[in-house]
């Protein structure tokens, strides 16, 4: 896709599209799913849905992955005590999903495992079923967190990141 076509595609999408793609009831269900998942493990899950990339990203030819890494930082997902934060990032204009995990989980999960997880989720996004795709992503990331960072005995885990999805 040419740079101009990509810019026009992204300018077509806005925050109203985000609200239509993931309406308030779906956001509430995803928030509840994140909260429930985090009672089973010591990891943190953050969901971010954006309609389009900022113009500066488009001019420089940056990708959804580049934006996900920036949002990982901006939303402080990297700043958890045990380095177990994971960002699930969806870019509506490209129906793209990216997962960025901090080193506490990433050291246990191979790139091939992450790619397999993303491949399993992408069909829902390509079908426009964003809630199902996000729900599958939260479930699978939660499963990985539970495998590698189970709740176990010890002091209660505190919620370090908001459970509500961030919309942009």
């Amino acid at each position: 896709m040419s740079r101009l076509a990509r810019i026009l595609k992204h300018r077509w999408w806005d925050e109203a599209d985000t609200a239509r793609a993931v309406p308030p009831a779906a956001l509430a269900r995803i928030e509840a799913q994140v909260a429930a998942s985090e009672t089973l493990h010591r990891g943190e899950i953050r969901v971010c849905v954006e309609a389009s990339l900022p113009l500066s990203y488009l001019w420089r030819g940056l990708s959804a992955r580049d934006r996900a890494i920036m949002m990982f930082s901006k939303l402080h997902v990297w700043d958890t005590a045990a380095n177990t934060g994971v960002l699930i990032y969806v870019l509506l204009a490209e129906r793209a999903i990216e997962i960025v995990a901090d080193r506490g989980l990433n050291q246990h999960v191979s790139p091939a495992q992450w790619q397999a997880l993303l491949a399993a989720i992408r069909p829902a996004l390509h079908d426009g079923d964003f809630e199902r795709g996000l729900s599958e992503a939260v479930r699978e990331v939660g499963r990985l967190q539970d495998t590698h960072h189970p709740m176990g005995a010890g002091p209660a885990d505190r919620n370090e990141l908001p459970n509500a999805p961030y919309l942009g």
Side-chain angles (χ1 to χ4, degrees):
M1 175 182 306
S2 76
R3 182 181 294 186
L4 179 59
R6 186 173 185 230
I7 289 170
L8 292 174
K9 179 179 182 178
H10 279 261
R11 295 300 79 189
W12 184 261
W13 287 80
D14 63 21
E15 290 176 12
D17 294 307
T18 306
R20 280 190 294 278
V22 191
L27 289 173
R29 287 188 291 271
I30 292 165
E31 179 178 359
Q33 185 182 5
V34 169
S37 175
E38 289 180 355
T39 66
L40 304 174
H41 53 76
R42 294 195 177 277
E44 291 288 324
I45 299 172
R46 189 77 205 265
V47 174
C48 175
V49 180
E50 290 191 307
S52 62
L53 291 174
L55 192 55
S56 63
Y57 278 68
L58 297 168
W59 277 118
R60 294 183 297 168
L62 298 177
S63 67
R65 179 74 182 170
D66 295 320
R67 182 64 176 173
I69 292 168
M70 173 58 74
M71 294 308 291
F72 181 82
S73 174
K74 182 177 179 180
L75 297 174
H76 299 279
V77 180
W78 57 269
D79 199 22
T80 62
N83 299 312
T84 57
V86 176
L87 177 69
I88 299 168
Y89 177 84
V90 171
L91 179 62
L92 298 177
E94 295 181 4
R95 296 190 180 197
I97 185 166
E98 296 290 340
I99 296 177
V100 182
D102 205 346
R103 62 188 175 272
L105 181 60
N106 219 22
Q107 68 184 349
H108 300 290
V109 182
S110 73
Q113 286 176 289
W114 286 122
Q115 289 308 312
L117 189 154
L118 290 170
I121 296 165
R122 282 190 181 108
L125 299 179
H126 287 283
D127 292 344
D129 193 346
F130 299 104
E131 181 181 1
R132 182 173 55 113
L134 287 167
S135 181
E136 289 174 11
V138 169
R139 182 179 58 251
E140 293 305 312
V141 168
R143 186 183 58 75
L144 288 170
Q145 290 278 32
D146 187 39
T147 298
H148 300 291
H149 300 105
M151 190 58 76
D157 190 45
R158 67 182 179 89
N159 192 21
E160 298 179 78
L161 297 173
N163 295 330
Y166 173 89
L167 302 180

